[in-house]
Amino acid sequence: MNKNQSLPWDHPRFRSWIAVARACQLMQQSLTRSLADLDIKPPHLDILVNLYRFEGISQQELARKLLVGRSNMSMLLPQMEKRDLIERRGDARDKRVLRLYLTAEGRTLTEAAMAIQTDLIERTLSDEPIEQCMATATSMERIITVLLQDLRDPD
């Protein structure tokens, strides 16, 4: 590396980047531990919550929302179907499209998991003023927008 090149930690925004990455890792670890008694992991919760909010969403739409590939979906969905948490049904208009729905058991589990997640969020952020939480959310949403654009337009 030549003298004119700066190292990542010399960049003024490096601390912020690392803090976001570490917070994300720790949030995932804490959520994983908190959900263990329900025998689900954060990726399962992501699916369940999206089906709770957007009943009948297609597998493709769900994969897009979760920023995962179809291979990830094709691994997780059969596991969840086998546990009777979700069901896949053909679309009435387009037989190639599969729509996803929570079962009664899936809905009950999702509500329990959301309560656990909400409690974790409250315990973690209760000392943060709401205005700061909203400012952080706005900042993270800007980062997401930039990174998604980078993924769409590789140079």
Side-chain angles (χ1 to χ4, degrees), residues 106-130:
R107 183 166 296 281
T108 299
L109 181 75
T110 302
E111 289 169 353
M114 288 189 303
I116 289 168
Q117 183 181 37
T118 300
D119 180 61
L120 178 60
I121 291 167
E122 189 55 35
R123 284 186 290 119
T124 304
L125 297 174
S126 63
D127 290 340
E128 287 292 311
I130 293 298

PDB file of all heavy atoms in Angstrom, residues 106-130:
ATOM      1  N   GLY A 106     -48.866 -21.560  12.857  1.00  0.00           N
ATOM      2  CA  GLY A 106     -47.880 -20.560  12.446  1.00  0.00           C
ATOM      3  C   GLY A 106     -48.225 -19.176  12.966  1.00  0.00           C
ATOM      4  O   GLY A 106     -47.353 -18.425  13.400  1.00  0.00           O
ATOM      5  N   ARG A 107     -49.504 -18.833  12.935  1.00  0.00           N
ATOM      6  CA  ARG A 107     -49.944 -17.530  13.432  1.00  0.00           C
ATOM      7  C   ARG A 107     -49.687 -17.413  14.942  1.00  0.00           C
ATOM      8  O   ARG A 107     -49.174 -16.410  15.418  1.00  0.00           O
ATOM      9  CB  ARG A 107     -51.430 -17.322  13.117  1.00  0.00           C
ATOM     10  CG  ARG A 107     -51.965 -15.961  13.536  1.00  0.00           C
ATOM     11  CD  ARG A 107     -53.318 -15.686  12.917  1.00  0.00           C
ATOM     12  NE  ARG A 107     -53.245 -15.602  11.457  1.00  0.00           N
ATOM     13  CZ  ARG A 107     -52.824 -14.539  10.780  1.00  0.00           C
ATOM     14  NH1 ARG A 107     -52.446 -13.469  11.416  1.00  0.00           N
ATOM     15  NH2 ARG A 107     -52.802 -14.545   9.460  1.00  0.00           N
ATOM     16  N   THR A 108     -49.996 -18.467  15.689  1.00  0.00           N
ATOM     17  CA  THR A 108     -49.770 -18.464  17.137  1.00  0.00           C
ATOM     18  C   THR A 108     -48.280 -18.329  17.449  1.00  0.00           C
ATOM     19  O   THR A 108     -47.882 -17.534  18.310  1.00  0.00           O
ATOM     20  CB  THR A 108     -50.336 -19.767  17.759  1.00  0.00           C
ATOM     21  OG1 THR A 108     -51.740 -19.811  17.498  1.00  0.00           O
ATOM     22  CG2 THR A 108     -50.089 -19.826  19.251  1.00  0.00           C
ATOM     23  N   LEU A 109     -47.448 -19.087  16.739  1.00  0.00           N
ATOM     24  CA  LEU A 109     -46.000 -19.019  16.946  1.00  0.00           C
ATOM     25  C   LEU A 109     -45.462 -17.639  16.574  1.00  0.00           C
ATOM     26  O   LEU A 109     -44.618 -17.083  17.282  1.00  0.00           O
ATOM     27  CB  LEU A 109     -45.291 -20.098  16.130  1.00  0.00           C
ATOM     28  CG  LEU A 109     -43.776 -20.128  16.303  1.00  0.00           C
ATOM     29  CD1 LEU A 109     -43.397 -20.732  17.648  1.00  0.00           C
ATOM     30  CD2 LEU A 109     -43.135 -20.906  15.172  1.00  0.00           C
ATOM     31  N   THR A 110     -45.959 -17.084  15.477  1.00  0.00           N
ATOM     32  CA  THR A 110     -45.509 -15.762  15.040  1.00  0.00           C
ATOM     33  C   THR A 110     -45.834 -14.711  16.094  1.00  0.00           C
ATOM     34  O   THR A 110     -44.995 -13.849  16.407  1.00  0.00           O
ATOM     35  CB  THR A 110     -46.153 -15.385  13.689  1.00  0.00           C
ATOM     36  OG1 THR A 110     -45.821 -16.381  12.728  1.00  0.00           O
ATOM     37  CG2 THR A 110     -45.674 -14.022  13.201  1.00  0.00           C
ATOM     38  N   GLU A 111     -47.016 -14.758  16.654  1.00  0.00           N
ATOM     39  CA  GLU A 111     -47.395 -13.784  17.680  1.00  0.00           C
ATOM     40  C   GLU A 111     -46.512 -13.916  18.912  1.00  0.00           C
ATOM     41  O   GLU A 111     -46.087 -12.908  19.494  1.00  0.00           O
ATOM     42  CB  GLU A 111     -48.880 -13.931  18.011  1.00  0.00           C
ATOM     43  CG  GLU A 111     -49.753 -13.429  16.868  1.00  0.00           C
ATOM     44  CD  GLU A 111     -51.229 -13.767  16.996  1.00  0.00           C
ATOM     45  OE1 GLU A 111     -51.612 -14.532  17.918  1.00  0.00           O
ATOM     46  OE2 GLU A 111     -52.015 -13.266  16.156  1.00  0.00           O
ATOM     47  N   ALA A 112     -46.186 -15.139  19.305  1.00  0.00           N
ATOM     48  CA  ALA A 112     -45.283 -15.344  20.445  1.00  0.00           C
ATOM     49  C   ALA A 112     -43.885 -14.812  20.123  1.00  0.00           C
ATOM     50  O   ALA A 112     -43.248 -14.148  20.950  1.00  0.00           O
ATOM     51  CB  ALA A 112     -45.221 -16.824  20.807  1.00  0.00           C
ATOM     52  N   ALA A 113     -43.404 -15.088  18.909  1.00  0.00           N
ATOM     53  CA  ALA A 113     -42.074 -14.626  18.498  1.00  0.00           C
ATOM     54  C   ALA A 113     -42.010 -13.105  18.392  1.00  0.00           C
ATOM     55  O   ALA A 113     -41.013 -12.487  18.781  1.00  0.00           O
ATOM     56  CB  ALA A 113     -41.694 -15.268  17.163  1.00  0.00           C
ATOM     57  N   MET A 114     -43.082 -12.493  17.882  1.00  0.00           N
ATOM     58  CA  MET A 114     -43.099 -11.025  17.786  1.00  0.00           C
ATOM     59  C   MET A 114     -43.073 -10.392  19.176  1.00  0.00           C
ATOM     60  O   MET A 114     -42.437  -9.355  19.375  1.00  0.00           O
ATOM     61  CB  MET A 114     -44.312 -10.548  16.986  1.00  0.00           C
ATOM     62  CG  MET A 114     -44.197 -10.829  15.504  1.00  0.00           C
ATOM     63  SD  MET A 114     -45.476 -10.057  14.458  1.00  0.00           S
ATOM     64  CE  MET A 114     -46.995 -10.676  15.137  1.00  0.00           C
ATOM     65  N   ALA A 115     -43.733 -11.023  20.147  1.00  0.00           N
ATOM     66  CA  ALA A 115     -43.704 -10.506  21.522  1.00  0.00           C
ATOM     67  C   ALA A 115     -42.283 -10.585  22.074  1.00  0.00           C
ATOM     68  O   ALA A 115     -41.810  -9.641  22.738  1.00  0.00           O
ATOM     69  CB  ALA A 115     -44.678 -11.284  22.401  1.00  0.00           C
ATOM     70  N   ILE A 116     -41.590 -11.665  21.793  1.00  0.00           N
ATOM     71  CA  ILE A 116     -40.198 -11.816  22.235  1.00  0.00           C
ATOM     72  C   ILE A 116     -39.323 -10.762  21.574  1.00  0.00           C
ATOM     73  O   ILE A 116     -38.507 -10.104  22.221  1.00  0.00           O
ATOM     74  CB  ILE A 116     -39.685 -13.242  21.924  1.00  0.00           C
ATOM     75  CG1 ILE A 116     -40.368 -14.242  22.860  1.00  0.00           C
ATOM     76  CG2 ILE A 116     -38.171 -13.324  22.020  1.00  0.00           C
ATOM     77  CD1 ILE A 116     -40.164 -15.698  22.479  1.00  0.00           C
ATOM     78  N   GLN A 117     -39.499 -10.579  20.267  1.00  0.00           N
ATOM     79  CA  GLN A 117     -38.698  -9.595  19.541  1.00  0.00           C
ATOM     80  C   GLN A 117     -38.989  -8.177  20.047  1.00  0.00           C
ATOM     81  O   GLN A 117     -38.067  -7.384  20.248  1.00  0.00           O
ATOM     82  CB  GLN A 117     -38.966  -9.687  18.042  1.00  0.00           C
ATOM     83  CG  GLN A 117     -38.102  -8.740  17.227  1.00  0.00           C
ATOM     84  CD  GLN A 117     -38.384  -8.825  15.750  1.00  0.00           C
ATOM     85  OE1 GLN A 117     -39.528  -8.992  15.333  1.00  0.00           O
ATOM     86  NE2 GLN A 117     -37.349  -8.718  14.941  1.00  0.00           N
ATOM     87  N   THR A 118     -40.248  -7.864  20.265  1.00  0.00           N
ATOM     88  CA  THR A 118     -40.622  -6.536  20.758  1.00  0.00           C
ATOM     89  C   THR A 118     -40.017  -6.283  22.138  1.00  0.00           C
ATOM     90  O   THR A 118     -39.514  -5.191  22.418  1.00  0.00           O
ATOM     91  CB  THR A 118     -42.157  -6.392  20.803  1.00  0.00           C
ATOM     92  OG1 THR A 118     -42.659  -6.580  19.470  1.00  0.00           O
ATOM     93  CG2 THR A 118     -42.586  -5.033  21.309  1.00  0.00           C
ATOM     94  N   ASP A 119     -40.032  -7.295  22.991  1.00  0.00           N
ATOM     95  CA  ASP A 119     -39.422  -7.172  24.316  1.00  0.00           C
ATOM     96  C   ASP A 119     -37.922  -6.926  24.194  1.00  0.00           C
ATOM     97  O   ASP A 119     -37.368  -6.077  24.901  1.00  0.00           O
ATOM     98  CB  ASP A 119     -39.701  -8.434  25.140  1.00  0.00           C
ATOM     99  CG  ASP A 119     -39.088  -8.345  26.523  1.00  0.00           C
ATOM    100  OD1 ASP A 119     -39.462  -7.422  27.286  1.00  0.00           O
ATOM    101  OD2 ASP A 119     -38.220  -9.190  26.839  1.00  0.00           O
ATOM    102  N   LEU A 120     -37.254  -7.642  23.299  1.00  0.00           N
ATOM    103  CA  LEU A 120     -35.818  -7.446  23.086  1.00  0.00           C
ATOM    104  C   LEU A 120     -35.530  -6.030  22.587  1.00  0.00           C
ATOM    105  O   LEU A 120     -34.604  -5.364  23.068  1.00  0.00           O
ATOM    106  CB  LEU A 120     -35.286  -8.485  22.099  1.00  0.00           C
ATOM    107  CG  LEU A 120     -33.808  -8.390  21.722  1.00  0.00           C
ATOM    108  CD1 LEU A 120     -32.914  -8.535  22.949  1.00  0.00           C
ATOM    109  CD2 LEU A 120     -33.469  -9.439  20.669  1.00  0.00           C
ATOM    110  N   ILE A 121     -36.331  -5.569  21.654  1.00  0.00           N
ATOM    111  CA  ILE A 121     -36.158  -4.207  21.135  1.00  0.00           C
ATOM    112  C   ILE A 121     -36.344  -3.194  22.259  1.00  0.00           C
ATOM    113  O   ILE A 121     -35.546  -2.256  22.412  1.00  0.00           O
ATOM    114  CB  ILE A 121     -37.150  -3.929  19.977  1.00  0.00           C
ATOM    115  CG1 ILE A 121     -36.781  -4.767  18.756  1.00  0.00           C
ATOM    116  CG2 ILE A 121     -37.194  -2.443  19.626  1.00  0.00           C
ATOM    117  CD1 ILE A 121     -37.854  -4.810  17.671  1.00  0.00           C
ATOM    118  N   GLU A 122     -37.380  -3.383  23.059  1.00  0.00           N
ATOM    119  CA  GLU A 122     -37.654  -2.440  24.154  1.00  0.00           C
ATOM    120  C   GLU A 122     -36.516  -2.447  25.181  1.00  0.00           C
ATOM    121  O   GLU A 122     -36.055  -1.394  25.621  1.00  0.00           O
ATOM    122  CB  GLU A 122     -38.999  -2.783  24.813  1.00  0.00           C
ATOM    123  CG  GLU A 122     -39.475  -1.756  25.801  1.00  0.00           C
ATOM    124  CD  GLU A 122     -39.582  -0.339  25.241  1.00  0.00           C
ATOM    125  OE1 GLU A 122     -39.925  -0.168  24.052  1.00  0.00           O
ATOM    126  OE2 GLU A 122     -39.309   0.619  26.005  1.00  0.00           O
ATOM    127  N   ARG A 123     -36.038  -3.634  25.557  1.00  0.00           N
ATOM    128  CA  ARG A 123     -34.938  -3.714  26.522  1.00  0.00           C
ATOM    129  C   ARG A 123     -33.669  -3.072  25.968  1.00  0.00           C
ATOM    130  O   ARG A 123     -32.923  -2.425  26.694  1.00  0.00           O
ATOM    131  CB  ARG A 123     -34.651  -5.164  26.910  1.00  0.00           C
ATOM    132  CG  ARG A 123     -35.669  -5.748  27.865  1.00  0.00           C
ATOM    133  CD  ARG A 123     -35.306  -7.139  28.365  1.00  0.00           C
ATOM    134  NE  ARG A 123     -35.425  -8.131  27.308  1.00  0.00           N
ATOM    135  CZ  ARG A 123     -34.426  -8.881  26.835  1.00  0.00           C
ATOM    136  NH1 ARG A 123     -33.226  -8.778  27.337  1.00  0.00           N
ATOM    137  NH2 ARG A 123     -34.633  -9.764  25.868  1.00  0.00           N
ATOM    138  N   THR A 124     -33.435  -3.246  24.686  1.00  0.00           N
ATOM    139  CA  THR A 124     -32.216  -2.728  24.063  1.00  0.00           C
ATOM    140  C   THR A 124     -32.263  -1.214  23.873  1.00  0.00           C
ATOM    141  O   THR A 124     -31.268  -0.523  24.083  1.00  0.00           O
ATOM    142  CB  THR A 124     -31.995  -3.408  22.690  1.00  0.00           C
ATOM    143  OG1 THR A 124     -31.974  -4.821  22.877  1.00  0.00           O
ATOM    144  CG2 THR A 124     -30.704  -2.965  22.055  1.00  0.00           C
ATOM    145  N   LEU A 125     -33.413  -0.704  23.483  1.00  0.00           N
ATOM    146  CA  LEU A 125     -33.500   0.707  23.086  1.00  0.00           C
ATOM    147  C   LEU A 125     -34.266   1.596  24.060  1.00  0.00           C
ATOM    148  O   LEU A 125     -34.473   2.773  23.779  1.00  0.00           O
ATOM    149  CB  LEU A 125     -34.143   0.804  21.692  1.00  0.00           C
ATOM    150  CG  LEU A 125     -33.350   0.149  20.559  1.00  0.00           C
ATOM    151  CD1 LEU A 125     -34.147   0.178  19.272  1.00  0.00           C
ATOM    152  CD2 LEU A 125     -31.999   0.811  20.389  1.00  0.00           C
ATOM    153  N   SER A 126     -34.666   1.081  25.206  1.00  0.00           N
ATOM    154  CA  SER A 126     -35.518   1.862  26.115  1.00  0.00           C
ATOM    155  C   SER A 126     -34.863   3.148  26.613  1.00  0.00           C
ATOM    156  O   SER A 126     -35.565   4.100  26.929  1.00  0.00           O
ATOM    157  CB  SER A 126     -35.971   1.006  27.304  1.00  0.00           C
ATOM    158  OG  SER A 126     -34.840   0.600  28.065  1.00  0.00           O
ATOM    159  N   ASP A 127     -33.539   3.195  26.657  1.00  0.00           N
ATOM    160  CA  ASP A 127     -32.861   4.415  27.108  1.00  0.00           C
ATOM    161  C   ASP A 127     -32.637   5.423  25.986  1.00  0.00           C
ATOM    162  O   ASP A 127     -32.195   6.538  26.240  1.00  0.00           O
ATOM    163  CB  ASP A 127     -31.515   4.070  27.755  1.00  0.00           C
ATOM    164  CG  ASP A 127     -31.683   3.368  29.094  1.00  0.00           C
ATOM    165  OD1 ASP A 127     -32.771   3.486  29.705  1.00  0.00           O
ATOM    166  OD2 ASP A 127     -30.729   2.687  29.534  1.00  0.00           O
ATOM    167  N   GLU A 128     -32.929   5.021  24.759  1.00  0.00           N
ATOM    168  CA  GLU A 128     -32.758   5.920  23.617  1.00  0.00           C
ATOM    169  C   GLU A 128     -34.007   6.759  23.419  1.00  0.00           C
ATOM    170  O   GLU A 128     -35.111   6.212  23.358  1.00  0.00           O
ATOM    171  CB  GLU A 128     -32.502   5.124  22.330  1.00  0.00           C
ATOM    172  CG  GLU A 128     -31.142   4.494  22.237  1.00  0.00           C
ATOM    173  CD  GLU A 128     -30.025   5.506  22.109  1.00  0.00           C
ATOM    174  OE1 GLU A 128     -30.122   6.414  21.263  1.00  0.00           O
ATOM    175  OE2 GLU A 128     -29.056   5.379  22.870  1.00  0.00           O
ATOM    176  N   PRO A 129     -33.856   8.069  23.310  1.00  0.00           N
ATOM    177  CA  PRO A 129     -35.041   8.897  23.009  1.00  0.00           C
ATOM    178  C   PRO A 129     -35.633   8.487  21.654  1.00  0.00           C
ATOM    179  O   PRO A 129     -34.907   8.109  20.728  1.00  0.00           O
ATOM    180  CB  PRO A 129     -34.484  10.321  22.937  1.00  0.00           C
ATOM    181  CG  PRO A 129     -33.140  10.260  23.591  1.00  0.00           C
ATOM    182  CD  PRO A 129     -32.645   8.861  23.449  1.00  0.00           C
ATOM    183  N   ILE A 130     -36.948   8.555  21.560  1.00  0.00           N
ATOM    184  CA  ILE A 130     -37.638   8.184  20.314  1.00  0.00           C
ATOM    185  C   ILE A 130     -37.069   8.960  19.127  1.00  0.00           C
ATOM    186  O   ILE A 130     -36.885   8.401  18.048  1.00  0.00           O
ATOM    187  CB  ILE A 130     -39.167   8.421  20.437  1.00  0.00           C
ATOM    188  CG1 ILE A 130     -39.770   7.447  21.468  1.00  0.00           C
ATOM    189  CG2 ILE A 130     -39.872   8.277  19.093  1.00  0.00           C
ATOM    190  CD1 ILE A 130     -39.641   5.979  21.116  1.00  0.00           C
TER     191      ILE A 130
END
